[in-house]
Every structure is written in structure tokens, then in C-alpha cells.
Amino acid sequence: MAQDIRETRDTRTTFGPAHQMTAPTAELLRQLVAHLRQNRTQLREEWARRITEAKLLTAMTKEEIFAEATSVYDNYVEALETGTFEALQAYARNLSERIIPRGVETHEVVGIVLLLRDVLARSLFAKYQNDFALLNRILDAYEPAANRIANTVAVGFVQERERVIREQQEAIRVLSTPVLQVRERLLILPIIGVIDPQRARQLTEQLLRGIRTNRAKVVVIDITGVPVMDANVANNLVQTVEATRLLGATVIITGLSPEIAQTLVTIGVDLGKMNTVGDLQGGIEEAERLLGYKVVTFAESSPDHARQ
Amino acid sequence: MDAERNPFGAAASADPAAGNGRDRVLEEIAVRIDGDTDIVSARQKGRVLAATLGFSSSELTLIATAISELARNIVLYAKQGEIVLRVLERGDQRGVMVRAHDQGPGIPDIRRALQGGFSTSRSLGLGLPGVRRLMDEFEIESRIGQGTTVTARKWKR
Amino acid sequence: MEVPILKQGPYLIASIQSALSDADLVQLRDKLVEQVGRLRSRGVIVDVTALDVMDSFATRTLRDITFMIRLRGAETVIVGIQPDVAFTMVQLGLKLEGVPTALDLEEGIAFLSKKDSSPAKEASPSGR
């Protein structure tokens, strides 16, 4: 019953191999490719020179720029010849992976591809300057392909960058919800910033694991640093409290601002089941009471009582 | 109208039994459901299959639990049926699909069967609202006297 | 797969070893409800550490066990619910309301003995 219903040809990445086009266009592209092959060394050097001149890819050495320029050039010509972009796409992704950590920016990548387009167009002008009609037709064949190539490389870079950013956001998220053990069997989870569903899920998972590894009995969740709370976030909070209970621990929520308190009551979140205490300090005292520690206030802690 | 489409499913396909046109099937396992011990083996197979995609352990638990609920519905209401588990590819996303199919009495009121908020664990006793919450996509098709097909998918984030 | 039930002083400990079918769960329920009276136990601990899935049926059966045993005059505590399982349960809306829970066997025993020493009071901090 297994089926494969994927389109056989992905129209976004191909403009059709040369032999599928109208004969004149195909012939022109063949001429073009031949020209770019013959002048490979000179055009490649010209391009590398222009890159340096335009102060692009400054994070890379001259040798590196030349090596990458060669690869891009060859992939570029191949894409023109075959009309398929898989190899170029793969190369663009691979290149992006290598240069993103070195701080190469999107405008630089777009810039170098546009420069190559310019270098090649100029060489076509030079070659066909005596036959304006032919030049026009050559450019007609070249333009769409060149544009698509520029797109492919730029999109590949941006996608890779987005992937890197997503990874970094993930890492920041993990760091931004630290589960702290303040004393035996007591955890504190200070939440700072906006809670979206994904973060809420992550936070709950981290907390539940923390409870198990630390054998915690009481958890204080401090939401002083949470600016807003809507129905979804409130529901997530209730779920966190319920899941904690299932593990056998108790949650104390502290730092509910007047605004959030109003929101919760207005949207009808059942606060009756939630153990809330005004501030973190009070929450920790309440937690210690639950854990069976005797809380001694400052006034009481005179030498007479300290030994109790 | 005795067949009703779930208005909440994120994905709509003309024929849910044929699979979504956008999805490529990379792997498929079918598990016969004839009794309550099959519920356990269906969810264990589903967990193993989903693990090959690199789902987190909490996501694996969500998927296994959804399979358990769907398989139990088959046992409770149709006595027998089948759970089909697939690894899917849609664009650059991968995920698992769980399809529960039976030729039982069908669900008379799908809308009602899908009701039930966070607080009601009872609803109609069909754990369908729960399954819908656990998975990313959910579709149901049921015909009185002919049977029920529930399809749910979860994508790897 | 039968669940072994151990008698430990005044308590019964049911330690689930692997995934259970619905029939296994029902059998566990019947055995516990029977034995708690016969052995005059004051408390029951059901250890679910080994369960990687607790669906609606398992949850309902555990709740039934707790309420039936309460009617037989003893207290039950469910111990060892895994983080992933708890996370899934709340998303399904399965909260085990009215069923005491504890982190592990040790905590479960501590809960029951505390309950024993103050029988008039609801002692569970987490058993709402």
C-alpha cells in the first residue's frame, strides 16, 4: 500500500535541461557554456579580484576566496549546462555551513553571486559586441538562468543561517530556564521572559527531569519575570503543576503580578488547586515548612531559641 | 450525512485512506488488533519506529500513548481492526503517521466524540480529544455500520 | 504478565515490572482489593517506575484501585511515575485526582507511615 506520490520534477529548482528548450535557446546556452569553459581561468581570476575589491568575504584569506570562487564557478557553469540545481544547491549549503561560523553575512553572499553575474555579463558584451542582435539573444538565454542561480545560492545561505539561528535559540532557551537546587529536596525555577508553547513544554520537561534526578519534594516556580500571561500559557502552567504532582512533588508559585492575577481570574483558570505565595522569599519559607524545616524569623533567632 | 470530516485537522486530503498526496511513505508497519495484548505490541512497535526518526523521549511517549488510545478504541468498539504505522516525509520534514482502521459500528456523532477539554477525562470514553492534543494532525472518518478510520501524524521538529 | 505483590509489614507493595495489558491491570486491581482485606494491610504502594505508557485505561484502573482500597479501609499511593509519562498524562487530561503520588518506593512508604501516625488528618502534601 506504500505509495510514492512525490512530484518527479521539482519545478522550483529547475528551468529544464537545455535539450528540452526551444532549439535556438539551447544552442545559445551551449555556446555560452563553451565560452565560460574556455575563459575559465581568466574569468575566475577577474571575479576573485572584484570580490576583494568590493571588500566582500573579508573574513577569508585570498587563497580561500580563490578556492571557493573556483568551486562556485564550476558549479555555476554546470548548472547552466544541465539546467539542474541539485549540485549547486548542495554546494551552497556546504559553503554556508563553513562560512557562517566565520561571520560571513547574507549581503556578502548575495554580493559575490551578483558580482559573478556581472563579470560574466561583461565578458559576453566583450565577446559579442559586434553582433548586437546575437548579444541580445545570448543575454535572453543567460539572464533567467543566472537569476535562478543567484536565488539558489542566496536561499541556500539564508536557510542555513536560519537553521543556525534556530539552534542558537534552542540553546538560549535551555540556558534561560535553569532549574536550581537551593537545598536538599527543594528546587527553584525562576522563569524570565515570554513563555510560548514550545518554551512551556521544554520548561516542564526540564523541571520534571530535575525533580527526578534531585529527588525533589517541593518546587518553587517564580514568575516575577514573566510579563504577560494568556489563556494558553496559564493552561501550560496548570499542566506543569499537575505533572509535578503526578511525580509526587508539590509546586509553589510565586511572583504573580496584579495584572497576571487579574488575567487568570478573568479567563477562569482554577487557582484553587495552585499553591501561590506572594514573593520568592515567602515561597521558599513555605517550601521549607512543607519539607519539615522549622522557619525561624529574625526576631526569634535570639541565642535562647537558636538551638531548637 | 453519516460521514463527517473533522473540521480541526490541519491537513485536508480528499481521501484520507489513500494517504496525503504531499507525503512520501518511507516505511510502513501494520499491526492486527484482535485483543488487549495487541494494544501493547502496537504501541511498542510505534515507539521503536518513531525512535528511528530521532524524536525526543517525551515525544516518543506521546506517540506511544496516542497509539495505545487508538488501539483501545478498536478493541472496545469494533473488537478488531488494524493499526498502520508509517514513517513519512513531507518536504524537508519527517514524521510518523498512525492510522487506526476498523469495520465496527462507526461513530454516530463525531463532533461530540471530539469534545472534551482539559478537565474532562471521561467525555465519551473514546480518548479521541486526547489523541488530537498529543499529535500534530488529526483526521477522522466514520460511517455508521461500516467502520471508522482515524489518522494522526506527528512531525519531527 | 502477572504483577508480584509483596507484603512488607503493614503494607502491600505491587511492583510492576513491564508493560501491562488491560487484563493484567484488572487482575492487579482484583488481587490488591482482595489481599488488602485478607492480610489486613493498612496501605498499598503501586510502583509504576517500569511503565513507559500510562494511557486512559491504566490511569482509570489506578484510580479505581485507590478508591476501592480506600473503601476497604486502607490508603494507596502510586510511586515512580516517569517525567515523560506525567507530561503525556496531563496533556491527555489524566490527572489522577484524589490519588496520592510519591517520587519512589521510599517516599511512598514515608507517606503511608506519616498517614498511619496521624490517621485523622489528610497528610499528603501532593494527594489532592
Side-chain angles (χ1 to χ4, degrees):
Chain A
M1 200 150 130
Q3 303 159 22
D4 186 335
I5 329 177
R6 194 157 69 162
E7 285 181 82
T8 48
R9 200 164 67 87
D10 191 345
T11 47
R12 282 170 308 159
T13 53
T14 53
F15 59 88
H19 60 82
Q20 275 185 6
M21 296 186 186
T22 51
T25 311
E27 173 47 34
L28 292 172
L29 270 178
R30 256 193 293 278
Q31 264 193 49
L32 182 63
V33 168
H35 169 70
L36 299 183
R37 288 247 158 83
Q38 275 161 24
N39 299 284
R40 178 172 178 263
T41 310
Q42 181 224 322
L43 290 172
R44 201 168 39 140
E45 275 166 7
E46 167 70 4
W47 183 34
R49 191 182 59 74
R50 294 272 308 271
I51 291 172
T52 320
E53 223 175 66
K55 296 203 167 34
L56 294 172
L57 303 183
T58 44
M60 297 164 75
T61 66
K62 245 191 168 114
E63 292 71 30
E64 283 173 324
I65 292 176
F66 190 70
E68 298 294 358
T70 304
S71 303
V72 177
Y73 188 93
D74 291 343
N75 277 297
Y76 194 109
V77 176
E78 196 197 312
L80 277 177
E81 183 176 37
T82 60
T84 58
F85 287 76
E86 278 79 9
L88 183 68
Q89 236 168 5
Y91 175 75
R93 216 171 296 135
N94 173 288
L95 172 71
S96 308
E97 250 174 66
R98 279 179 287 124
I99 62 180
I100 287 170
R102 305 182 55 175
V104 174
E105 298 289 338
T106 311
H107 79 265
E108 296 183 273
V109 171
V110 175
I112 64 164
V113 182
L114 291 179
L115 270 183
L116 177 57
R117 193 168 162 280
D118 185 61
V119 167
L120 300 188
R122 277 168 201 269
S123 91
L124 294 175
F125 283 128
K127 183 175 160 80
Y128 297 105
Q129 56 186 327
N130 297 323
D131 187 345
F132 190 67
L134 181 59
L135 173 64
N136 247 335
R137 288 195 294 132
I138 289 269
L139 286 177
D140 282 346
Y142 172 67
E143 283 291 333
N147 288 347
R148 191 143 275 169
I149 289 170
N151 257 330
T152 302
V153 174
V155 167
F157 182 85
V158 170
Q159 280 175 348
E160 179 63 21
R161 225 174 117 96
E162 280 169 356
R163 195 185 63 76
V164 171
I165 290 170
R166 267 199 304 278
E167 273 179 15
Q168 287 169 345
Q169 278 174 340
E170 184 75 12
I172 290 168
R173 278 212 176 98
V174 173
L175 290 173
S176 67
T177 52
V179 179
L180 312 168
Q181 180 168 29
V182 276
R183 61 194 301 167
E184 215 183 315
R185 323 221 58 187
L186 171 57
L187 296 181
I188 293 186
L189 178 67
I191 307 177
I192 294 164
V194 176
I195 310 174
D196 57 27
Q198 203 202 337
R199 187 171 175 216
R201 200 192 62 195
Q202 210 158 27
L203 208 135
T204 307
E205 283 182 29
Q206 261 180 283
L207 178 62
L208 296 179
R209 299 226 162 85
I211 289 169
R212 206 147 177 86
T213 43
N214 295 296
R215 298 192 79 241
K217 246 177 121 69
V218 183
V219 178
V220 179
I221 301 181
D222 182 61
I223 58 169
T224 310
V226 177
V228 284
M229 187 169 287
D230 60 13
N232 279 332
V233 175
N235 264 323
N236 281 318
L237 191 63
V238 172
Q239 285 189 354
T240 308
V241 173
E242 284 165 355
T244 304
R245 211 283 289 177
L246 288 175
L247 260 64
T250 304
V251 174
I252 298 169
I253 303 213
T254 63
L256 274 158
S257 68
E259 293 78 19
I260 290 180
Q262 281 176 9
T263 311
L264 294 183
V265 172
T266 311
I267 60 182
V269 171
D270 188 359
L271 291 165
K273 289 179 192 157
M274 285 215 256
N275 195 349
T276 54
V277 175
D279 60 7
L280 186 56
Q281 176 65 33
I284 293 174
E285 283 170 15
E286 170 68 8
E288 289 175 334
R289 198 186 58 76
L290 286 177
L291 286 168
Y293 295 110
K294 184 173 161 51
V295 178
V296 180
T297 62
F298 185 71
E300 277 179 77
S301 69
S302 61
D304 288 350
H305 293 78
R307 274 187 299 275
Q308 284 187 348
Chain B
M1 201 171 110
D2 58 355
E4 191 181 342
R5 294 203 51 74
N6 160 39
F8 306 101
S13 63
D15 177 11
N20 193 305
R22 287 172 291 167
D23 299 343
R24 204 158 90 96
V25 180
L26 303 179
E27 204 177 330
E28 178 175 300
I29 302 173
V31 186
R32 280 293 313 161
I33 304 293
D34 291 312
D36 70 336
T37 51
D38 297 324
I39 299 174
V40 176
S41 72
R43 72 179 183 226
Q44 282 170 346
K45 282 178 179 144
R47 180 187 281 267
V48 170
L49 191 72
T52 61
L53 287 179
F55 278 107
S56 74
S57 75
S58 68
E59 288 171 318
L60 292 177
T61 306
L62 295 179
I63 293 164
T65 308
I67 296 170
S68 198
E69 296 292 330
L70 292 176
R72 174 162 299 98
N73 281 347
I74 293 177
V75 174
L76 286 180
Y77 298 98
K79 304 281 182 276
Q80 54 193 15
E82 189 184 46
I83 295 274
V84 175
L85 305 161
R86 286 180 182 168
V87 174
L88 298 180
E89 188 178 73
R90 183 186 296 171
D92 54 4
Q93 264 191 323
R94 286 194 173 193
V96 287
M97 184 210 77
V98 182
R99 174 169 296 147
H101 176 70
D102 67 57
Q103 294 176 325
I107 303 170
D109 188 345
I110 290 182
R111 206 168 282 275
R112 226 182 118 214
L114 287 174
Q115 271 168 8
F118 286 84
S119 55
T120 56
S121 53
R122 260 164 280 196
S123 59
L124 278 183
L126 301 157
L128 289 180
V131 173
R132 205 172 96 203
R133 278 200 294 272
L134 297 185
M135 304 290 278
D136 295 333
E137 291 171 12
F138 183 93
E139 291 153 32
I140 180 166
E141 186 160 301
S142 187
R143 278 172 203 279
I144 300 296
Q146 290 181 36
T148 302
T149 302
V150 179
T151 307
R153 301 181 193 84
K154 193 161 190 74
W155 300 102
K156 174 87 180 65
R157 271 175 247 273
Chain C
M1 177 79 204
E2 201 168 317
V3 179
I5 299 174
L6 307 171
K7 188 174 176 329
Q8 174 97 31
Y11 306 132
L12 292 181
I13 300 173
S15 173
I16 296 171
Q17 307 290 323
S18 67
L20 297 183
S21 71
D22 296 1
D24 296 334
L25 277 161
V26 170
Q27 194 192 32
L28 172 66
R29 181 194 70 195
D30 295 349
K31 264 172 70 182
L32 281 174
V33 175
E34 186 265 323
Q35 288 191 14
V36 79
R38 188 160 51 81
L39 301 170
R40 307 192 64 209
S41 301
R42 290 204 298 271
V44 172
I45 298 169
V46 181
D47 186 351
V48 299
T49 308
L51 290 187
D52 64 351
V53 166
M54 295 235 303
D55 61 9
S56 54
F57 186 84
T59 309
R60 191 162 59 235
T61 309
L62 289 177
R63 203 188 57 203
D64 291 352
I65 289 174
T66 307
F67 291 174
M68 288 174 187
I69 284 173
R70 199 169 282 158
L71 290 173
R72 302 269 281 155
E75 194 58 39
T76 304
V77 56
I78 310 297
V79 306
I81 296 179
Q82 294 292 333
D84 293 340
V85 173
F87 184 68
T88 303
M89 285 170 70
V90 296
Q91 296 212 22
L92 272 175
L94 307 170
K95 299 179 241 177
L96 276 178
E97 274 170 299
V99 179
T101 51
L103 190 75
D104 52 23
L105 204 54
E106 194 186 322
E107 283 297 312
I109 291 172
F111 166 74
L112 289 178
S113 9
K114 201 167 157 195
K115 191 106 187 157
D116 248 5
S117 58
S118 57
K121 212 172 123 235
E122 180 68 31
S124 164
S126 55
R128 282 190 286 269

